[in-house]
Amino acid sequence: MNDKRASLGKYFDGRVVTLVLLVAAITILMSMLLPGKFFTASNFSGIFTSLAFDLLLSCGMTVVLILGGVDLSVGAVVAFSGILSTTLIQKGVPVVPSVLAAMAAGAAVGCVNGVLVARAGLAPFIATLGTNSIVRGACYVATSGYLISGLPESFTNISRASIFGVPMMILISLLCATGLAVCLFKLSLFKQMFLIGTSPSTALLSGIPAARLKIVGYGISGLFAGLTGVLMSSRYGMGFAGYAVGFESRAIAAAVIGGAVMAGGEGNMVGTMLGVMVVAIVNNAFIMLNGPAEAQYAISGVMLIAALVVDRLKGKRKRKERV
């Protein structure tokens, strides 16, 4: 019983409570500043629709951060998987095989990142930044900068259809995020990832296949990015090489705000979900206050730096307490 409580405490810790209060405070403040505009069904529908993409990317990023890595290629993988799925559909391949192929391609790019980091010994930042450039360049070469449109309704309905008024893309992202949260909570395979991020040497001495699990972790990140690309192309009805530029910074920001640390060994999927919510609401509030939409990337960067500073100070305090 105590072990279960301790495990649940990892998901419902002080960070989660703080984020819930922060979301509530921002919502109340914006409702007071913009009565009848912010706290409406249409506005929150737009918020949840926009965060569906960020949620998937942030969940995959959380797994990589737990392992002590980072994945800067997710934005390019989103564009790549979208282009692959829409191209296959245009060539007459059925929707389901096209979607599965796009997701598999995303997972494959993630596994390549894992091999470069775990087997070749490259720094995660360098390896995934290089992959990002290669994949993004391949997207522009494959499409010559043009849009891939004229897609059937059976594909666009993947995101646009709804169940009981809730868009499919939101349901899919929430189900995937919840499933990954359960895996981190229940499966020993994922629990071992925390030890790898905390102390790679201890994990090695314990007989944990660190290299293999790092490849799996990056593969999960790529898989989620591949699914995001399919949903994005379905939502907008086209494949485009310029999709998801800068989304990696938002994914990292949401994961770090939710409790993950760049040094590895920590991560909370519930916190990540709330972190995505915080980023989405702050961006939405900024736009509704007549701020330029292009400044969203700057806001995500500011929030990321603020979260890193807080974690840095928290880490220093913990070290002093140990001494």
Side-chain angles (χ1 to χ4, degrees):
M1 181 66 71
N2 290 333
D3 291 339
K4 288 184 177 180
R5 288 179 179 176
S7 298
L8 285 172
K10 294 180 180 179
Y11 285 88
F12 300 97
D13 55 11
R15 176 70 67 95
V16 170
V17 174
T18 300
L19 290 174
V20 170
L21 293 175
L22 181 59
V23 169
I26 296 173
T27 302
I28 293 172
L29 177 61
M30 288 302 300
S31 298
M32 294 171 61
L33 292 174
L34 298 171
K37 293 183 179 180
F38 182 80
F39 196 70
T40 61
S42 59
N43 187 48
F44 269 80
S45 176
I47 291 174
F48 278 98
T49 298
S50 65
L51 68 76
F53 304 132
D54 289 331
L55 179 57
L56 288 171
L57 294 179
S58 298
C59 287
M61 188 68 72
T62 299
V63 175
V64 175
L65 289 173
I66 289 171
L67 288 164
V70 68
D71 189 353
L72 301 181
S73 69
V74 291
V77 173
V78 169
F80 175 69
S81 62
I83 288 171
L84 179 59
S85 60
T86 52
T87 299
L88 290 174
I89 290 171
Q90 272 200 341
K91 292 184 178 298
V93 179
V95 171
V96 173
S98 298
V99 169
L100 293 177
M103 292 173 62
V109 174
C111 289
V112 170
N113 285 330
V115 171
L116 292 175
V117 172
R119 300 294 187 187
L122 299 182
F125 179 88
I126 300 299
T128 57
L129 183 62
T131 305
N132 173 72
S133 299
I134 294 171
V135 175
R136 182 71 71 179
C139 291
Y140 281 107
V141 170
T143 62
S144 300
Y146 290 102
L147 304 176
I148 302 174
S149 56
L151 302 171
E153 193 173 286
S154 56
F155 178 71
T156 57
N157 277 343
I158 295 175
S159 288
R160 297 177 183 176
S162 61
I163 298 179
F164 301 114
V166 181
M168 281 293 295
M169 59 184 293
I170 296 177
L171 291 175
I172 291 172
S173 63
L174 287 175
L175 285 173
C176 290
T178 302
L180 188 55
V182 172
C183 288
L184 285 173
F185 181 65
K186 289 287 188 180
L187 301 183
S188 59
L189 175 74
F190 289 90
K191 291 180 180 179
Q192 291 173 349
M193 292 181 177
F194 286 93
L195 182 57
I196 294 171
T198 303
S199 177
S201 58
T202 302
L204 184 63
L205 292 173
S206 301
I208 295 174
R212 191 183 310 162
L213 289 182
K214 284 185 179 181
I215 295 172
V216 170
Y218 277 96
I220 291 172
S221 179
L223 177 66
F224 274 54
L227 176 57
T228 304
V230 170
L231 293 178
M232 189 172 289
S233 297
S234 171
R235 172 71 179 176
Y236 299 125
M238 60 185 181
F240 179 44
Y243 278 155
V245 173
F247 274 41
E248 50 276 337
S249 63
R250 285 158 54 173
I252 296 171
V256 172
I257 290 170
V261 296
M262 301 298 291
E266 292 185 33
N268 187 331
M269 206 59 67
V270 175
T272 295
M273 295 179 192
L274 288 170
V276 172
M277 189 71 169
V278 169
V279 173
I281 288 181
V282 169
N283 284 332
N284 177 265
F286 183 78
I287 293 173
M288 293 198 74
L289 291 172
N290 297 321
E294 294 77 8
Q296 292 184 53
Y297 299 110
I299 294 173
S300 299
V302 170
M303 296 177 70
L304 173 59
I305 292 173
L308 290 173
V309 169
V310 171
D311 282 335
R312 182 82 171 181
L313 295 174
K314 182 179 176 182
K316 285 184 177 180
R317 187 174 68 250
K318 285 184 177 180
R319 286 193 293 270
K320 287 181 179 179
E321 290 174 354
R322 290 171 188 167
V323 175

PDB file of all heavy atoms in Angstrom, residues 82-84 86-87 90 142-143 146-151 237-240:
ATOM      1  N   GLY A  82       3.697  13.507 -42.315  1.00  0.00           N
ATOM      2  CA  GLY A  82       2.544  14.072 -43.011  1.00  0.00           C
ATOM      3  C   GLY A  82       2.694  13.983 -44.516  1.00  0.00           C
ATOM      4  O   GLY A  82       1.751  13.631 -45.238  1.00  0.00           O
ATOM      5  N   ILE A  83       3.878  14.295 -45.007  1.00  0.00           N
ATOM      6  CA  ILE A  83       4.147  14.227 -46.447  1.00  0.00           C
ATOM      7  C   ILE A  83       4.074  12.783 -46.941  1.00  0.00           C
ATOM      8  O   ILE A  83       3.503  12.496 -47.998  1.00  0.00           O
ATOM      9  CB  ILE A  83       5.525  14.837 -46.763  1.00  0.00           C
ATOM     10  CG1 ILE A  83       5.465  16.353 -46.594  1.00  0.00           C
ATOM     11  CG2 ILE A  83       5.977  14.478 -48.179  1.00  0.00           C
ATOM     12  CD1 ILE A  83       6.816  17.028 -46.673  1.00  0.00           C
ATOM     13  N   LEU A  84       4.636  11.866 -46.158  1.00  0.00           N
ATOM     14  CA  LEU A  84       4.631  10.460 -46.565  1.00  0.00           C
ATOM     15  C   LEU A  84       3.206   9.917 -46.650  1.00  0.00           C
ATOM     16  O   LEU A  84       2.838   9.266 -47.640  1.00  0.00           O
ATOM     17  CB  LEU A  84       5.452   9.634 -45.580  1.00  0.00           C
ATOM     18  CG  LEU A  84       5.528   8.132 -45.854  1.00  0.00           C
ATOM     19  CD1 LEU A  84       6.128   7.855 -47.231  1.00  0.00           C
ATOM     20  CD2 LEU A  84       6.325   7.414 -44.761  1.00  0.00           C
ATOM     21  N   THR A  86       0.300  11.553 -46.963  1.00  0.00           N
ATOM     22  CA  THR A  86      -0.499  12.190 -48.019  1.00  0.00           C
ATOM     23  C   THR A  86      -0.020  11.782 -49.418  1.00  0.00           C
ATOM     24  O   THR A  86      -0.834  11.619 -50.336  1.00  0.00           O
ATOM     25  CB  THR A  86      -0.447  13.718 -47.882  1.00  0.00           C
ATOM     26  OG1 THR A  86       0.922  14.161 -47.816  1.00  0.00           O
ATOM     27  CG2 THR A  86      -1.156  14.174 -46.618  1.00  0.00           C
ATOM     28  N   THR A  87       1.275  11.596 -49.587  1.00  0.00           N
ATOM     29  CA  THR A  87       1.802  11.157 -50.884  1.00  0.00           C
ATOM     30  C   THR A  87       1.314   9.750 -51.223  1.00  0.00           C
ATOM     31  O   THR A  87       0.904   9.470 -52.360  1.00  0.00           O
ATOM     32  CB  THR A  87       3.341  11.189 -50.878  1.00  0.00           C
ATOM     33  OG1 THR A  87       3.790  12.519 -50.636  1.00  0.00           O
ATOM     34  CG2 THR A  87       3.893  10.715 -52.218  1.00  0.00           C
ATOM     35  N   GLN A  90      -2.313   9.860 -52.191  1.00  0.00           N
ATOM     36  CA  GLN A  90      -2.487  10.392 -53.549  1.00  0.00           C
ATOM     37  C   GLN A  90      -2.134   9.369 -54.616  1.00  0.00           C
ATOM     38  O   GLN A  90      -2.676   9.396 -55.721  1.00  0.00           O
ATOM     39  CB  GLN A  90      -1.623  11.639 -53.729  1.00  0.00           C
ATOM     40  CG  GLN A  90      -2.288  12.934 -53.307  1.00  0.00           C
ATOM     41  CD  GLN A  90      -1.631  14.144 -53.932  1.00  0.00           C
ATOM     42  OE1 GLN A  90      -0.495  14.099 -54.400  1.00  0.00           O
ATOM     43  NE2 GLN A  90      -2.354  15.260 -53.951  1.00  0.00           N
ATOM     44  N   ALA A 142      11.476  16.571 -51.478  1.00  0.00           N
ATOM     45  CA  ALA A 142      10.420  15.676 -51.958  1.00  0.00           C
ATOM     46  C   ALA A 142       9.217  16.433 -52.510  1.00  0.00           C
ATOM     47  O   ALA A 142       8.544  15.958 -53.435  1.00  0.00           O
ATOM     48  CB  ALA A 142       9.975  14.747 -50.833  1.00  0.00           C
ATOM     49  N   THR A 143       8.939  17.607 -51.941  1.00  0.00           N
ATOM     50  CA  THR A 143       7.737  18.345 -52.351  1.00  0.00           C
ATOM     51  C   THR A 143       8.046  19.582 -53.190  1.00  0.00           C
ATOM     52  O   THR A 143       7.123  20.202 -53.733  1.00  0.00           O
ATOM     53  CB  THR A 143       6.949  18.804 -51.116  1.00  0.00           C
ATOM     54  OG1 THR A 143       7.762  19.695 -50.333  1.00  0.00           O
ATOM     55  CG2 THR A 143       6.530  17.612 -50.265  1.00  0.00           C
ATOM     56  N   TYR A 146       5.925  22.572 -52.517  1.00  0.00           N
ATOM     57  CA  TYR A 146       4.496  22.627 -52.836  1.00  0.00           C
ATOM     58  C   TYR A 146       3.670  21.859 -51.785  1.00  0.00           C
ATOM     59  O   TYR A 146       4.193  21.002 -51.063  1.00  0.00           O
ATOM     60  CB  TYR A 146       4.235  22.025 -54.214  1.00  0.00           C
ATOM     61  CG  TYR A 146       4.761  22.875 -55.350  1.00  0.00           C
ATOM     62  CD1 TYR A 146       5.955  22.543 -55.992  1.00  0.00           C
ATOM     63  CD2 TYR A 146       4.072  24.005 -55.778  1.00  0.00           C
ATOM     64  CE1 TYR A 146       6.451  23.319 -57.029  1.00  0.00           C
ATOM     65  CE2 TYR A 146       4.552  24.785 -56.816  1.00  0.00           C
ATOM     66  CZ  TYR A 146       5.749  24.441 -57.437  1.00  0.00           C
ATOM     67  OH  TYR A 146       6.228  25.211 -58.458  1.00  0.00           O
ATOM     68  N   LEU A 147       2.390  22.169 -51.747  1.00  0.00           N
ATOM     69  CA  LEU A 147       1.474  21.471 -50.859  1.00  0.00           C
ATOM     70  C   LEU A 147       0.978  20.189 -51.516  1.00  0.00           C
ATOM     71  O   LEU A 147       0.845  20.122 -52.738  1.00  0.00           O
ATOM     72  CB  LEU A 147       0.266  22.364 -50.531  1.00  0.00           C
ATOM     73  CG  LEU A 147       0.568  23.738 -49.924  1.00  0.00           C
ATOM     74  CD1 LEU A 147      -0.728  24.521 -49.763  1.00  0.00           C
ATOM     75  CD2 LEU A 147       1.270  23.594 -48.596  1.00  0.00           C
ATOM     76  N   ILE A 148       0.697  19.179 -50.716  1.00  0.00           N
ATOM     77  CA  ILE A 148       0.110  17.938 -51.210  1.00  0.00           C
ATOM     78  C   ILE A 148      -1.348  17.942 -50.768  1.00  0.00           C
ATOM     79  O   ILE A 148      -1.668  17.693 -49.608  1.00  0.00           O
ATOM     80  CB  ILE A 148       0.843  16.713 -50.648  1.00  0.00           C
ATOM     81  CG1 ILE A 148       2.324  16.769 -51.005  1.00  0.00           C
ATOM     82  CG2 ILE A 148       0.211  15.425 -51.172  1.00  0.00           C
ATOM     83  CD1 ILE A 148       3.146  15.677 -50.372  1.00  0.00           C
ATOM     84  N   SER A 149      -2.240  18.250 -51.674  1.00  0.00           N
ATOM     85  CA  SER A 149      -3.655  18.425 -51.331  1.00  0.00           C
ATOM     86  C   SER A 149      -4.526  17.442 -52.112  1.00  0.00           C
ATOM     87  O   SER A 149      -4.028  16.477 -52.695  1.00  0.00           O
ATOM     88  CB  SER A 149      -4.080  19.869 -51.603  1.00  0.00           C
ATOM     89  OG  SER A 149      -3.818  20.221 -52.944  1.00  0.00           O
ATOM     90  N   GLY A 150      -5.831  17.698 -52.126  1.00  0.00           N
ATOM     91  CA  GLY A 150      -6.753  16.813 -52.826  1.00  0.00           C
ATOM     92  C   GLY A 150      -6.915  15.475 -52.152  1.00  0.00           C
ATOM     93  O   GLY A 150      -6.993  14.436 -52.808  1.00  0.00           O
ATOM     94  N   LEU A 151      -6.973  15.477 -50.818  1.00  0.00           N
ATOM     95  CA  LEU A 151      -7.029  14.237 -50.042  1.00  0.00           C
ATOM     96  C   LEU A 151      -8.477  13.812 -49.809  1.00  0.00           C
ATOM     97  O   LEU A 151      -9.377  14.655 -49.696  1.00  0.00           O
ATOM     98  CB  LEU A 151      -6.315  14.433 -48.712  1.00  0.00           C
ATOM     99  CG  LEU A 151      -4.846  14.871 -48.832  1.00  0.00           C
ATOM    100  CD1 LEU A 151      -4.293  15.238 -47.475  1.00  0.00           C
ATOM    101  CD2 LEU A 151      -4.021  13.765 -49.472  1.00  0.00           C
ATOM    102  N   GLY A 237      -5.866  19.111 -44.134  1.00  0.00           N
ATOM    103  CA  GLY A 237      -6.200  18.597 -45.449  1.00  0.00           C
ATOM    104  C   GLY A 237      -5.074  18.672 -46.457  1.00  0.00           C
ATOM    105  O   GLY A 237      -5.331  18.731 -47.673  1.00  0.00           O
ATOM    106  N   MET A 238      -3.827  18.635 -45.986  1.00  0.00           N
ATOM    107  CA  MET A 238      -2.696  18.704 -46.916  1.00  0.00           C
ATOM    108  C   MET A 238      -1.401  18.328 -46.207  1.00  0.00           C
ATOM    109  O   MET A 238      -1.291  18.425 -44.976  1.00  0.00           O
ATOM    110  CB  MET A 238      -2.560  20.113 -47.503  1.00  0.00           C
ATOM    111  CG  MET A 238      -2.327  21.184 -46.459  1.00  0.00           C
ATOM    112  SD  MET A 238      -2.327  22.839 -47.164  1.00  0.00           S
ATOM    113  CE  MET A 238      -2.003  23.838 -45.699  1.00  0.00           C
ATOM    114  N   GLY A 239      -0.435  17.897 -47.003  1.00  0.00           N
ATOM    115  CA  GLY A 239       0.911  17.681 -46.500  1.00  0.00           C
ATOM    116  C   GLY A 239       1.766  18.885 -46.841  1.00  0.00           C
ATOM    117  O   GLY A 239       1.621  19.471 -47.912  1.00  0.00           O
ATOM    118  N   PHE A 240       2.664  19.261 -45.927  1.00  0.00           N
ATOM    119  CA  PHE A 240       3.443  20.483 -46.121  1.00  0.00           C
ATOM    120  C   PHE A 240       4.789  20.346 -45.424  1.00  0.00           C
ATOM    121  O   PHE A 240       4.863  19.931 -44.268  1.00  0.00           O
ATOM    122  CB  PHE A 240       2.672  21.685 -45.561  1.00  0.00           C
ATOM    123  CG  PHE A 240       3.393  22.999 -45.674  1.00  0.00           C
ATOM    124  CD1 PHE A 240       4.057  23.361 -46.841  1.00  0.00           C
ATOM    125  CD2 PHE A 240       3.410  23.879 -44.604  1.00  0.00           C
ATOM    126  CE1 PHE A 240       4.717  24.581 -46.933  1.00  0.00           C
ATOM    127  CE2 PHE A 240       4.063  25.098 -44.696  1.00  0.00           C
ATOM    128  CZ  PHE A 240       4.723  25.442 -45.864  1.00  0.00           C
TER     129      PHE A 240
END
